[in-house]
Amino acid sequence: MHADTRHFRQAAGKALIDGQLQKALGNVKRGFIAKRAKARDALPEFDRLRDEARDIKIHTLAHLDLYLSRFEDKVKAAGGQVHWAETEAEAREAVLEICRAAGAKTVTKGKSMITEEIGLNAFLEQSELKVVETDLGEYLVQIRGETPSHIIAPAVHLNKEQIEHDFRERHKDLPPERQLSDPVQLVAEARQVLRQAFISADVGITGANFLIAETGQTVIVTNEGNGDLTQTLPKVHIVMASIEKAVPTLEDASTLIRVLARSATGQEISTYTTFSAGPRREGDPDGPQEFHVVLLDNGRSSVLGGPFQDMLRCIRCGACLNHCPIYQHVGGHAYGSVYPGPMGSVLTPLLQGVQEAAHLPYACTLCGRCEAVCPERIALPDMLRRWRARDFAAKPPLAGAKPALKLWAALAACPRAYQLVTGAAIRLLALLGGRKGRIGRLPLMGAWTKHRDLPAPQGQSFLAQWKAGRRK
Amino acid sequence: MSGRENILARIRAHAAAGEDEPARAARVEAHLGAHARGTVPARGQQDKAGRIALLRQILEGQSASVRELDALGAVPAEIADYLRRHNLAPRLGMGDDAALAGLDWGGANLELRHGRANAELESACSMAFAAVAESGTLVLTSGPDNPTSLNFMPDNHIIVLRADQVMGSYEDGWDALRAAFADGPPRTVNYVSGPSRTGDIEQTILLGAHGPRRLHVIIVK
């Protein structure tokens, strides 16, 4: 990973006053959230399926070594090859070696967050390979020299005017009189350009949503069909997948497929779901002649058995991004990490180290919406809180924080003193609030009151009201 | 140790520390062999008429067109008519599927092109292995009978299936596949649930991103 997560505060500030970005982000609320809610309401079994999806992943992670071994055996039996990569660098080298052995000059790619994680495109380009992203959103961010701002909708930060501008700049043979103001025309233009790339590519690289141990199949889901053209036309197909993508059986995959698209885009299922086992067989008129799976660990095996293990259940649907009030306001790039939003703020410190990603767990109000919509029921807010606690413990203590917390602890342990002090504080704050009932500035809390007023307490504390018999 | 051994050893050490290895292996074998189903949605457990109606309803909701015919013999005329309606040339790509090969294409004035798709192919026809009603999904299998490239290269894709191939759920589809392919699944199994689409420009759904702009499904009774 190469993105910089240390400047979240500044980047978020910029994002909030970026009119183009704010306009584009408005689509997230209108689109993804309403569509997911509709899909959930249309399937009475949805919440039960979420429980089962969680249990499948828990079971698989507990026996991940055995399921990966079985997956490997089955891929080999189907004529494919499996490459194990402990680190980003090993994964990049494995891909490059396959490309070199095939004498490849051009590579097409289906959408894959793992290849973003390992910085594959830049690496292959340094090695004189031409790399073309074929998912429309990925293609857009590639020609702009950007990174995806969303794990399933890479170009969600762009408006159609920006895309028209980029196409006119980049597609040199486009006649100036050609109309490109309508998204339909933009899609047609991209289709034409990328069709050429599909046909001339030597190697196709895709990710994988699932690896099925029972059969050795790799699974991708797309709506465009770009992943299928990527893997069907070139002579070599490389699947990049991280180890936690394994699932035991096709029945288990079916349960996960039922929750994946509904959580992601609100579809019953993505338009195309493709199960691939090995290279072209005897008599096949099409399909790749070589089939490779590169399995990436990159720290994941060490996350197992620890407090962040549940993060490995994530199926990358993006629902937590869509529903996050922070993501909705600042977009994906402000996070500075490959994986943005709640799942990214938990995962990035695991992959990159908490020092590098220390800001991310604070990019959160702990509102809990992400956990409420997660198809795997991952307790994201708990894990974000855990990262904060670690960060706090690792930092030099704030001057005065320790005695203040000690005083608070002593008060909390002595109800009578606690009520006396809080009662006094309530009266003081009410006085400060005056007739408006709001406090505009508070000593020692300038950062907080800079952006909002503190509502002054109204009346007595809960305990005092309880005693007086006004609360039951 | 190799990377493979390191990764597997770390997983064992972290995920399964102190557990009895033979017992774990037995549990995994049992799980792999059982093909236990999770919750299958009620909508995926209907009678034949209900399955066909649901398949049709979802496919049409996804911008595919659906036609029900009484006999396989009527397929060439229906396809010729479909191509005419959309102002398309009467040329059709297809594989070596025996059911399709036995039909009278010449009688419908359709010119056939056999084998994989090329860049010029405008329309193609495939025979589905099955369909899954619960999500409006066609299941296609790779091979010389129905080359995979036909599913993605042409602008217009016509999929033919028999009514008794319409399953309720994904799981019913997998059982049928296991029965038909005893040595393991074919190279590619494609779930197709509508024409190609993208939402990558301002979240507006547009058809024909890379694969077919039109999907026409013919269900034969």
Side-chain angles (χ1 to χ4, degrees):
Chain A
M1 284 212 210
H2 314 283
D4 193 345
T5 65
R6 281 165 297 183
H7 303 294
F8 177 77
R9 198 181 283 251
Q10 294 94 311
K14 265 193 212 159
L16 286 169
I17 53 169
D18 181 337
Q20 285 270 26
L21 176 67
Q22 292 302 321
K23 186 172 156 230
L25 288 173
N27 298 327
V28 172
K29 274 195 228 174
R30 280 194 296 277
F32 285 133
I33 292 182
K35 287 176 186 169
R36 177 195 174 272
K38 205 173 150 204
R40 177 205 60 203
D41 293 345
L43 191 73
E45 296 90 350
F46 186 65
D47 279 338
R48 202 173 345 138
L49 287 163
R50 288 169 68 197
D51 292 338
E52 291 172 5
R54 172 198 61 204
D55 295 344
I56 288 167
K57 282 287 192 174
I58 290 173
H59 169 85
T60 313
L61 291 173
H63 306 292
L64 188 59
D65 51 335
L66 300 174
Y67 285 120
L68 285 171
S69 299
R70 176 61 57 92
F71 171 76
E72 180 186 36
D73 292 345
K74 290 288 177 179
V75 171
K76 285 182 176 167
Q81 297 176 52
V82 177
H83 312 259
W84 300 72
E86 289 192 75
T87 61
E88 294 177 14
E90 283 180 25
R92 290 191 296 260
E93 288 295 341
V95 172
L96 180 61
E97 208 172 291
I98 298 164
C99 292
R100 287 220 165 116
K105 291 190 175 61
T106 63
V107 174
T108 44
K109 282 184 68 206
K111 194 175 150 27
S112 155
M113 289 308 297
I114 293 294
T115 64
E116 301 285 343
E117 179 181 324
I118 67 172
L120 184 65
N121 288 12
F123 178 77
L124 293 180
E125 279 161 2
Q126 276 167 23
S127 312
E128 308 297 318
L129 281 153
K130 188 182 170 202
V131 181
V132 183
E133 292 285 352
T134 65
D135 171 84
L136 179 55
E138 285 284 347
Y139 176 70
L140 295 173
V141 299
Q142 186 186 31
I143 64 174
R144 292 171 64 84
E146 292 180 334
T147 54
S149 70
H150 189 292
I151 61 172
I152 69 157
V156 74
H157 59 288
L158 298 177
N159 295 302
K160 61 179 195 286
E161 292 77 18
Q162 291 167 293
I163 298 166
E164 174 179 359
H165 174 263
D166 292 328
F167 279 3
R168 291 206 187 279
E169 200 154 87
R170 177 80 186 209
H171 297 169
K172 295 292 178 207
D173 47 358
L174 244 178
E177 67 276 11
R178 178 74 180 278
Q179 284 288 316
L180 280 180
S181 54
D182 187 331
V184 173
Q185 297 158 336
L186 293 170
V187 170
E189 167 65 12
R191 179 185 174 106
Q192 196 184 337
V193 169
L194 289 169
R195 196 43 88 91
Q196 287 314 308
F198 286 126
I199 290 168
S200 59
D202 304 305
V203 173
I205 302 176
T206 66
N209 292 84
F210 309 109
L211 307 171
I212 299 177
E214 169 198 359
T215 55
Q217 289 164 304
T218 64
V219 184
I220 57 168
V221 306
T222 79
N223 280 314
E224 299 180 3
N226 66 304
D228 292 281
L229 289 167
T230 297
Q231 69 175 58
T232 305
L233 302 186
K235 59 187 175 198
V236 178
H237 176 200
I238 304 175
V239 180
M240 275 289 324
S242 49
I243 54 173
E244 83 280 15
K245 297 286 177 189
V247 295
T249 64
L250 286 163
E251 281 75 9
D252 294 322
S254 300
T255 296
L256 292 165
I257 285 168
R258 285 190 182 105
V259 297
L260 176 58
R262 289 186 171 92
S263 301
T265 54
Q267 292 168 284
E268 311 268 356
I269 187 171
S270 303
T271 305
Y272 301 113
T273 300
T274 300
F275 302 77
S276 309
R280 183 187 292 213
R281 309 220 175 137
E282 210 183 315
D284 278 0
D286 52 19
Q289 283 146 31
E290 291 177 32
F291 179 82
H292 300 267
V293 182
V294 179
L295 287 176
L296 175 71
D297 182 345
N298 202 21
R300 288 167 173 81
S301 58
S302 303
V303 173
L304 287 167
F308 296 99
Q309 160 163 316
D310 292 349
M311 194 58 224
L312 298 181
R313 299 207 304 261
C314 174
I315 56 173
R316 306 288 191 269
C317 69
C320 62
L321 281 64
N322 300 336
H323 290 77
C324 173
I326 307 292
Y327 182 92
Q328 285 169 3
H329 283 90
V330 303
H333 286 154
Y335 293 83
S337 53
V338 169
Y339 302 99
M343 58 77 61
S345 296
V346 174
L347 185 62
T348 307
L350 289 169
L351 299 175
Q352 216 171 339
V354 71
Q355 292 81 13
E356 287 294 300
H359 268 79
L360 294 178
Y362 295 95
C364 166
T365 65
L366 299 176
C367 73
R369 271 203 239 166
C370 50
E371 182 177 357
V373 298
C374 176
E376 281 286 335
R377 301 200 186 279
I378 300 170
L380 291 158
D382 274 359
M383 285 193 274
L384 287 164
R385 203 181 290 119
R386 202 179 285 268
W387 276 130
R388 291 183 188 184
R390 285 198 183 184
D391 180 53
F392 184 80
K395 272 185 196 160
L398 217 60
K402 235 183 195 165
L405 286 172
K406 261 194 185 153
L407 184 67
W408 181 262
L411 270 179
C414 176
R416 192 169 299 208
Y418 183 88
Q419 282 166 42
L420 204 69
V421 173
T422 51
I426 283 170
R427 282 190 293 278
L428 179 66
L429 285 171
L431 209 64
L432 281 173
R435 218 181 300 157
K436 274 194 305 181
R438 310 189 71 81
I439 302 159
R441 273 171 64 189
L442 262 185
L444 301 175
M445 294 186 59
W448 200 93
T449 49
K450 192 171 152 198
H451 297 288
R452 47 222 186 289
D453 291 344
L454 179 74
Q458 315 214 330
Q460 293 171 300
S461 74
F462 176 82
L463 277 173
Q465 292 182 46
W466 181 268
K467 259 191 203 154
R470 273 179 284 147
R471 292 271 182 142
K472 284 193 182 99
Chain B
M1 282 208 298
S2 71
R4 177 186 186 278
E5 301 310 318
N6 287 337
I7 293 170
L8 292 176
R10 266 198 306 272
I11 295 172
R12 250 189 309 277
H14 287 113
E19 279 192 57
D20 179 44
E21 282 302 316
R24 281 180 73 224
R27 211 174 317 155
V28 164
E29 285 308 321
H31 188 101
L32 284 168
H35 299 305
R37 296 180 174 197
T39 295
V40 173
R43 64 154 83 157
Q45 307 180 51
Q46 302 186 53
D47 63 10
K48 190 172 161 190
R51 293 198 296 270
I52 292 172
L54 181 63
L55 177 73
R56 180 169 192 156
Q57 179 206 327
I58 300 181
L59 275 170
E60 287 175 345
Q62 294 304 311
S63 310
S65 51
V66 181
R67 185 76 201 273
E68 290 177 57
L69 296 180
D70 288 331
L72 199 61
V75 166
E78 161 59 19
I79 292 180
D81 187 43
Y82 177 83
L83 297 178
R84 220 172 9 248
R85 281 204 306 273
H86 291 94
N87 209 17
L88 297 165
R91 276 189 293 275
L92 198 61
M94 67 175 65
D96 304 333
D97 190 274
L100 293 178
L103 301 175
D104 180 15
W105 299 97
N109 291 318
L110 285 171
E111 186 188 314
L112 296 191
R113 204 191 145 278
H114 286 276
R116 59 174 292 170
N118 63 21
E120 283 73 46
L121 187 68
E122 193 179 41
S123 309
C125 175
S126 306
M127 197 77 194
F129 171 78
V132 175
E134 69 163 296
S135 57
T137 298
L138 285 314
V139 183
L140 297 140
T141 51
S142 62
D145 288 354
N146 294 286
T148 305
S149 51
L150 295 180
N151 307 341
F152 298 100
M153 293 276 282
D155 270 10
N156 309 283
H157 193 207
I158 299 156
I159 300 179
V160 182
L161 87 152
R162 293 194 316 272
D164 60 11
Q165 293 171 299
V166 179
M167 312 284 159
S169 63
Y170 303 128
E171 287 87 344
D172 288 347
W174 292 124
D175 278 352
L177 196 94
R178 286 187 188 112
F181 297 86
D183 298 335
R187 183 194 93 235
T188 309
V189 177
N190 288 121
Y191 277 4
V192 176
S193 312
S196 161
R197 69 197 57 216
T198 183
D200 275 346
I201 300 177
E202 298 187 350
Q203 293 214 23
T204 311
I205 301 298
L206 298 169
L207 298 183
H210 289 298
R213 297 168 208 263
R214 295 195 191 94
L215 176 69
H216 187 54
V217 178
I218 300 174
I219 305 171
V220 181
K221 280 177 196 150

